[in-house]
Amino acid sequence: MQFFIDTANLEEIRKFKEMGLLDGVTTNPSLMSKEGKVDFHAHIKQICDIVQGPVSAEVVSTDSEGMLTEARTLAKLSPHVVVKLPTIPEGIKALAKCTKEG
């Protein structure tokens, strides 16, 4: 079994990591907004540095090209980033392109 925490709070992430219970982190824009005015990309990188496992980072664009641009940027932040796309027609288009790009 794997344990993923659904948060963007660095202290919570560190707490669960120290307990030996953390395999990954899922985030989303609303969880990130709870952390105040943070640099989204830098914050995701910090989470990846702590976890050293899968860290989901969700795009906020609603069109496939915007999602694809965001996905490329997010994927470059860390090998631990797992890009989240919305399951809407535009998200499916972006997913197909992301899959082709690896």
Side-chain angles (χ1 to χ4, degrees):
M1 177 177 10
Q2 290 188 317
F3 183 81
F4 286 70
I5 189 171
D6 193 29
T7 187
N9 183 276
L10 297 177
E11 290 309 312
E12 287 180 5
I13 294 166
R14 285 186 187 103
K15 180 176 87 174
F16 281 93
K17 178 69 174 179
E18 289 171 9
M19 293 168 57
L21 295 174
L22 191 61
D23 295 301
V25 174
T26 60
T27 66
N28 61 50
S30 63
L31 291 172
M32 195 63 76
S33 70
K34 291 180 183 179
E35 299 308 304
K37 291 188 177 194
V38 297
D39 177 305
F40 177 73
H41 295 138
H43 203 80
I44 291 293
K45 286 172 84 171
Q46 285 182 291
I47 293 171
C48 290
D49 289 343
I50 295 167
V51 177
Q52 295 293 301
V55 174
S56 67
E58 188 172 341
V59 300
V60 295
S61 292
T62 56
D63 64 285
S64 64
E65 287 305 313
M67 289 180 203
L68 187 57
T69 298
E70 285 183 61
R72 288 176 182 137
T73 300
L74 291 170
K76 289 178 184 176
L77 294 177
S78 168
H80 299 296
V81 168
V82 177
V83 177
K84 286 172 56 176
L85 299 167
T87 310
I88 59 174
E90 289 296 302
I92 302 301
K93 288 180 194 175
L95 175 61
K97 292 177 184 178
C98 285
T99 301
K100 284 182 184 177
E101 291 183 15

